[in-house]
Amino acid sequence: MKRVLLIILLTIAVGAPAVAQTLFVGPGILFKGGLNAGDIPEGSKTTANINFVPDINGTLKYIFAKESGVGLLFDLGYNTASYRMRPENEQIANDNNTYIYKVGFVMFAPSLYLSGFTLGAGVGLPVSSTVSNVSGTSSSTASDLSNHASPYVEIRIGGMIQALKTESGELNIVVQGGYGVTGLYQSSTGNVPYNPRPVTFGIGVNYLFSVIGRP
């Protein structure tokens, strides 16, 4: 089996330059927000939260044939899922009892690229977790990430629109939506009070340098 896998990998490595018309690699940022579309404790309500610190990614874009515009995307970076929770009663809800939940992941995300439309999934390992209220009077950082889903899986859909083409590469506008399939706080035993599943939405840019072919 190992020998067969090695032969397949070598075949891809040798044949890729002949098949791929364009190959791009470069950095990008994505400003993102989210809300909880999963379990919500009784008496609570979820609202959207916007992350002021963007997701940071490295992107590889591999186009099978330049004329078709069909290929693959691979993203690797630090991504954040966040949402807000507050009392359902509007009369008592305020900045002191409205809390922002954030979980940071090292995320790997392969996607299909279809002439600017993207569809794929992200798989992330949790590396940070914070909870703070909107007023800033209360904040905590979780040192134990054992109750977080590992790995965290989300479905992604979006687009990558070329805004500028140069001799060295291309500048793209990126739009992206996601949904957490596994949930943020799903422990290995399932013993958690509730399991939030973030819906995320974001917009950003990347600059991809041309490695093979021209943009």
Side-chain angles (χ1 to χ4, degrees):
M1 178 61 72
K2 291 182 179 179
R3 184 172 299 176
V4 172
L5 291 175
L6 180 60
I7 293 174
I8 293 174
L9 291 173
L10 288 174
T11 301
I12 294 174
V14 173
V19 175
Q21 295 297 315
T22 53
L23 177 66
F24 300 88
V25 178
I29 58 173
L30 185 76
F31 290 91
K32 193 170 68 177
L35 55 82
N36 175 21
D39 299 337
I40 299 175
E42 186 176 353
S44 298
K45 182 178 181 179
T46 184
T47 58
N49 184 68
I50 305 298
N51 296 326
F52 292 102
V53 178
D55 289 358
I56 301 174
N57 295 295
T59 299
L60 184 149
K61 177 182 173 183
Y62 180 94
I63 301 298
F64 301 130
K66 188 174 182 180
E67 293 77 11
S68 68
V70 177
L72 297 173
L73 290 177
F74 299 94
D75 290 323
L76 179 64
Y78 182 81
N79 295 187
T80 303
S82 71
Y83 60 95
R84 296 188 183 196
M85 297 292 293
R86 64 176 180 81
E88 189 175 17
N89 189 333
E90 299 284 352
Q91 295 181 345
I92 65 173
N94 55 55
D95 287 351
N96 290 323
N97 56 26
T98 299
Y99 286 87
I100 302 170
Y101 295 79
K102 294 183 181 181
V103 182
F105 300 89
V106 173
M107 184 78 73
F108 172 69
S111 302
L112 291 173
Y113 178 88
L114 305 171
S115 298
F117 174 78
T118 61
L119 177 64
V123 181
L125 296 178
V127 294
S128 67
S129 178
T130 62
V131 180
S132 61
N133 60 4
V134 175
S135 64
T137 58
S138 175
S139 179
S140 64
T141 300
S143 58
D144 180 10
L145 296 173
S146 61
N147 279 338
H148 293 68
S150 183
Y152 170 73
V153 179
E154 68 174 9
I155 297 172
R156 292 183 169 187
I157 186 171
M160 183 181 293
I161 305 164
Q162 186 182 92
L164 178 66
K165 181 170 64 175
T166 69
E167 288 296 321
S168 62
E170 59 183 28
L171 177 70
N172 299 294
I173 298 173
V174 179
V175 292
Q176 179 184 291
Y179 173 72
V181 177
T182 59
L184 285 179
Y185 302 111
Q186 182 179 4
S187 69
S188 59
T189 62
N191 185 25
V192 290
Y194 72 101
N195 191 14
R197 289 180 169 85
V199 169
T200 62
F201 44 90
I203 184 168
V205 295
N206 64 29
Y207 189 86
L208 303 182
F209 296 91
S210 177
V211 179
I212 297 176
R214 290 293 178 184

